[in-house]
Amino acid sequence: MIYIRSLSKTFVLGEETIHALDHVDVTLPDGSFVVITGPSGSGKSTFLHIIGGIDTPSEGEVIIGHTPLHALTEDQRVLYRRQQVGFIFQAFHLIPYLTVYDNIALPAFLDGRDAKWIKRRVDELIATLGLEGLHNRLPHQLSGGQQQRVAIARALVNNPPLILADEPTGNLDSATGAQVLSLLQAIHQEGKTVLLATHNPDFVRLATIHLRLKDGKLLQ
């Protein structure tokens, strides 16, 4: 379960104070498919980054399962990100000089997994996500849809219970974007909790829970 109370995030730019999140309260049950909508600048990405341990709150409590994110040290947040969370970004964020295989395997390698386990897991994900024959390709040799599928495989390699997707179809055409959404639905049906941030209101149909943000406030 994701338990959030009075979550705020403030940035100071010169003389201007920006409230990216403003006292957000929400509880999200385990196994939810949460779609977060709102215009640009509404706080969607900041919300995901805090839940994912990439960023820290200025105020409030964030508890994921039994883990109080707001109280973790940086080293503890690194371990949390590596073992509990899979990230999928709009810009893919693949490492350009690593092959498809190595991009997917990297989180498992960093987590100290056994080499045989990593190979078995990566091969399984490559087959599941339709990436056969692309093991040794570099990211620039792939289409946008292929790169996003590699990014999804990388997010899944350590089998985390929580998947965070920040505008995962933003750089894709509509047909490829629909394929990515189908993959996220399949991931959810396997029992994982999925949080999807998007500016596209059509994606709300996928949600078991819909959160609507505006100017850092939770409206719905």
Side-chain angles (χ1 to χ4, degrees):
M1 181 175 290
I2 299 173
Y3 175 89
I4 293 171
R5 286 297 175 269
S6 198
L7 173 61
S8 296
K9 182 65 179 181
T10 302
F11 298 97
V12 177
L13 298 176
E15 296 181 356
E16 183 180 7
T17 299
I18 299 172
H19 298 282
L21 292 172
D22 189 0
H23 294 90
V24 172
D25 293 301
V26 67
T27 300
L28 305 171
D30 185 36
S32 302
F33 194 120
V34 183
V35 174
I36 308 157
T37 61
S40 296
S42 61
K44 302 187 302 295
S45 293
T46 302
F47 186 74
L48 288 188
H49 289 173
I50 289 175
I51 289 175
I54 293 176
D55 204 350
T56 56
S58 302
E59 181 183 339
E61 292 184 327
V62 181
I63 301 173
I64 314 294
H66 300 290
T67 303
L69 292 191
H70 57 281
L72 298 185
T73 65
E74 177 56 33
D75 287 345
Q76 289 171 330
R77 285 203 309 276
V78 169
L79 193 62
Y80 164 78
R81 290 194 299 265
R82 188 182 300 158
Q83 297 180 345
Q84 301 297 318
V85 185
F87 293 95
I88 306 166
F89 299 100
Q90 177 178 345
F92 315 137
H93 291 313
L94 301 178
I95 297 176
Y97 52 83
L98 293 184
T99 64
V100 165
Y101 183 95
D102 289 339
N103 263 288
I104 297 171
L106 183 60
F109 173 78
L110 292 174
D111 201 37
R113 303 274 188 166
D114 176 79
K116 290 182 179 178
W117 185 96
I118 292 175
K119 184 179 187 307
R120 183 170 62 251
R121 178 64 172 159
V122 173
D123 286 345
E124 172 191 344
L125 289 168
I126 283 175
T128 300
L129 295 175
L131 295 166
E132 297 97 332
L134 302 178
H135 291 64
N136 296 316
R137 298 274 184 94
L138 294 172
H140 75 271
Q141 297 173 312
L142 306 175
S143 68
Q146 289 170 336
Q147 289 187 64
Q148 192 58 291
R149 278 184 278 154
V150 173
I152 291 172
R154 180 184 59 188
L156 294 174
V157 69
N158 281 337
N159 199 29
L162 178 60
I163 300 297
L164 306 179
D166 192 0
E167 298 283 7
T169 65
N171 285 335
L172 306 176
D173 60 60
S174 58
T176 307
Q179 293 174 359
V180 169
L181 288 177
S182 293
L183 287 173
L184 290 175
Q185 285 181 287
I187 292 167
H188 171 245
Q189 288 166 2
E190 291 174 359
K192 297 188 184 298
T193 302
V194 177
L195 272 66
L196 166 65
T198 179
H199 66 276
N200 190 336
D202 292 342
F203 294 173
V204 173
R205 61 182 172 79
L206 304 174
T208 60
I209 295 175
H210 173 212
L211 305 180
R212 188 161 63 94
L213 290 170
K214 184 177 181 181
D215 297 328
K217 294 182 181 294
L218 183 61
L219 301 183
Q220 176 182 331

